[in-house]
Amino acid sequence: DAARARFETYAKKGLAKGKLTEAQAAGITKGLVTTADYTAIAGCDWIIEAATERLDLKREVFTRIEEIAGPAALITSNTSSLPAARLFSHLREPGRCTVTHFFAPAFQNPAVEVVRWEHSTKQTVDRLRWIFAMTGKVPLVTDDVICFMADGTMKVARVADKVFMGREILHIAVLPKEGDKAFYTMLY
């Protein structure tokens, strides 16, 4: 219930500040199911974990998820600092697991990192890229490192928007702080 309340609070704040319409605010919690019962995830196609940034806790959560999730289910973490290898390498089927790190605020910012790591399959990464692209997100495929693209040393800037054949083309540049080098410019 605390998770649902948090989403509802975000929606109310966005509505009060005029950043969301009534329909957008209602859409934030529409279809959201929260539970502490792991068996409820048995039929899910994709499970996204967002537990506290404690490696031991997250590994325990993923072990329990893997026991219940269907064989085709994607399992991802929204960690902001832990490498995929540390989170998933103990699992029986680590190839279907990776990190999908949403840039905040996720309901407004289109960028999301999809981490490619030593055990993630091409199918898993491609499937996540497709899902994100089809839902209006901009998937940025990154390597598995401690912290991620927007770890406070960089900022993501929306450079230009254009429309081509009915699709938005979004240029995203990762701009470094002084002394760092940019390592992504993405065209979507």
Side-chain angles (χ1 to χ4, degrees):
D1 290 337
R4 175 174 284 287
R6 188 170 172 190
F7 280 100
E8 289 169 353
T9 299
Y10 288 146
K12 287 176 186 173
K13 283 182 182 178
L15 191 58
K17 292 180 179 182
K19 294 185 177 188
L20 297 174
T21 65
E22 292 275 348
Q24 289 171 323
I28 289 175
T29 56
K30 181 181 179 187
L32 178 66
V33 177
T34 60
T35 183
D37 178 6
Y38 278 78
T39 61
I41 66 169
C44 291
D45 295 317
W46 180 13
I47 298 109
I48 306 172
E49 167 277 331
T52 302
E53 293 291 292
R54 281 189 21 227
L55 181 59
D56 61 326
L57 173 64
K58 287 180 179 286
R59 286 174 61 98
E60 179 184 329
V61 166
F62 289 122
T63 299
R64 292 181 71 187
I65 288 171
E66 187 180 45
E67 291 170 1
I68 296 164
L74 293 169
I75 302 170
T76 67
S77 176
N78 189 45
T79 183
S80 58
S81 62
L82 299 170
R86 291 186 187 174
L87 294 170
F88 306 115
S89 59
H90 70 288
L91 298 176
R92 290 184 314 275
E93 297 179 52
R96 65 178 173 160
C97 307
T98 195
V99 172
T100 50
H101 182 242
F102 294 79
F103 287 59
F107 66 91
Q108 290 179 319
N109 193 328
V112 61
E113 291 172 278
V114 176
V115 175
R116 177 183 46 229
W117 66 291
E118 65 181 306
H119 293 294
S120 61
T121 66
K122 182 179 183 326
Q123 178 184 2
T124 295
V125 173
D126 288 350
R127 187 172 164 201
L128 287 163
R129 288 179 63 215
W130 180 84
I131 290 167
F132 286 128
M134 292 296 102
T135 57
K137 291 291 193 182
V138 179
L140 306 171
V141 178
T142 65
D143 291 328
D144 193 25
V145 295
I146 296 175
C147 293
F148 299 110
M149 186 182 293
D151 67 355
T153 64
M154 301 188 183
K155 69 177 185 175
V156 176
R158 190 173 183 145
V159 178
D161 291 310
K162 297 179 184 173
V163 175
F164 177 73
M165 296 179 64
R167 296 282 305 201
E168 179 180 328
I169 298 174
L170 176 64
H171 299 270
I172 293 184
V174 178
L175 306 174
K177 284 188 172 180
E178 273 185 60
D180 292 340
K181 65 177 188 173
F183 60 130
Y184 280 97
T185 299
M186 191 77 176
L187 173 65
Y188 170 67

